Amino acid sequence: MGLEMLNDGELKEKLYKLLENKCYLVVLHDIRSAEAWVVLKPAFPKGKMGSKIMLTTRIKDLALHVDSLGFLYKPVCLTEGQRDRGTEEQSWELFSKKTFISKNVSSSSYSSFPQDVEKKEKLGREMIVATLK
């Protein structure tokens, strides 16, 4: 029987048996409600020492509900009009390094770029900001 034919309970049981007595890392991305976690949690056995479940969410209270003693990390994001200019510049610097891998580029060295670099920089910043909305 294929996985697509199993109901939620059967899927949880199958996953539990698969992970039982194994060391595992599971990443659950963008969990949006405590109810979702309550449904998913029984599918994960305690596992061997070192097993981890990493959960991402934008809701701090949800993260605390899942594990009040867990590690909470809130990334600093680039936002338009941000007062902390250093953070914005660091974000742009990282974006530039990842985007222009073949060129050793920083926000202050544009000599190897065409004249429309300001337009490209503006577009890049808008793209980063748009992903945060």
Side-chain angles (χ1 to χ4, degrees), residues 65-118:
H65 169 76
V66 169
D67 185 355
S68 61
L69 300 175
F71 176 75
L72 294 179
Y73 176 74
K74 183 172 178 164
V76 178
C77 298
L78 172 65
T79 57
E80 199 168 22
Q82 189 172 7
R83 287 193 173 131
D84 182 359
R85 190 81 178 133
T87 302
E88 182 176 337
E89 288 306 313
Q90 289 172 344
S91 296
W92 176 249
E93 193 72 29
L94 176 61
F95 175 78
S96 296
K97 286 178 182 177
K98 295 297 181 183
T99 304
F100 309 115
I101 291 173
S102 63
K103 296 176 173 38
N104 188 10
V105 176
S106 70
S107 58
S108 61
S109 66
Y110 295 123
S111 59
S112 62
F113 281 100
Q115 289 183 330
D116 63 349
V117 71
E118 290 82 17

Side-chain angles (χ1 to χ4, degrees), residues 116-130:
D116 63 349
V117 71
E118 290 82 17
K119 290 180 187 176
K120 290 179 180 176
E121 179 176 344
K122 184 176 185 248
L123 175 62
R125 290 180 185 270
E126 289 170 0
M127 289 167 43
I128 292 170
V129 169

